[in-house]
Amino acid sequence: MASRKWLLRQNRDMKKASGAEPLIDGEQPPKIFNWTLPALTVHLEGRKAIRVCKQADACAKLCYALNGTYMFRNVRARHIENLLMVVDNLPAWEAEMAEELRHKRYEHAAIRIHDSGDFLSAEYLHAWLRIMRGAPDIRFYCYTKEVAL
């Protein structure tokens, strides 16, 4: 990986869940990681506004990702860094994500796509679909309002 150690992260709750007791069938719970973008619309100096959550109409007023730890300077900076990777060079981001998912760290993992943010374009959604097809042993899940894509 080029610019930083890991694209996918684990917050405190995900780390705790990853070390939980075995499931009812005796299987270990998956290690959970996430990929996050900033919520709603991002305004950056010298750039056109980037609308991340295009279908967020009603939920924008109650968006949990506009409060709490999501607003810490370091957290918001990370989410904006993720967004710029996707917007500025989607093919490079896709290749880096696909490469990262081959690491043994992700054996028996589950990936949550977007605990904030959403699929901001059809191209971005298709990149995720290709990534998922290339990692059949990893579970992926997400919540989205972008059903039209």
Side-chain angles (χ1 to χ4, degrees):
M1 283 146 288
S3 58
R4 58 191 191 181
K5 187 167 172 115
W6 301 111
L7 295 174
L8 297 168
R9 307 290 285 196
Q10 285 186 304
N11 64 30
R12 181 177 42 236
D13 293 336
M14 289 177 171
K15 286 178 184 174
K16 188 175 180 181
S18 295
E21 295 181 22
L23 303 174
I24 293 171
D25 63 3
E27 187 177 324
Q28 281 299 113
K31 295 173 281 186
I32 305 168
F33 298 89
N34 73 328
W35 170 257
T36 303
L37 298 176
L40 301 179
T41 302
V42 176
H43 301 275
L44 300 172
E45 191 175 323
R47 295 179 82 117
K48 187 174 136 183
I50 304 169
R51 188 131 186 237
V52 181
C53 303
K54 295 177 180 158
Q55 304 299 322
D57 301 325
C59 67
K61 294 180 185 97
L62 303 170
C63 182
Y64 64 87
L66 297 178
N67 298 291
T69 59
Y70 290 91
M71 300 315 296
F72 290 176
R73 184 176 295 147
N74 63 320
V75 173
R76 181 139 175 86
R78 176 66 183 231
H79 296 176
I80 289 171
E81 182 182 353
N82 289 351
L83 176 64
L84 293 177
M85 288 172 42
V86 167
V87 169
D88 290 345
N89 193 341
L90 184 61
W93 169 81
E94 181 180 345
E96 193 170 341
M97 182 64 76
E99 176 188 338
E100 178 168 319
L101 289 172
R102 289 190 284 274
H103 192 278
K104 67 181 180 178
R105 174 182 199 227
Y106 300 106
E107 290 176 6
H108 310 293
I111 309 300
R112 179 174 182 181
I113 304 170
H114 306 139
D115 64 336
S116 71
D118 210 337
F119 295 104
L120 51 102
S121 68
E123 295 81 13
Y124 175 60
L125 170 62
H126 290 145
W128 267 114
L129 293 172
R130 288 187 297 272
I131 289 165
M132 289 181 223
R133 285 185 200 108
D137 295 330
I138 297 174
R139 297 176 201 168
F140 294 86
Y141 69 103
C142 64
Y143 304 94
T144 184
K145 288 193 158 292
E146 294 299 333
V147 294
L149 290 177

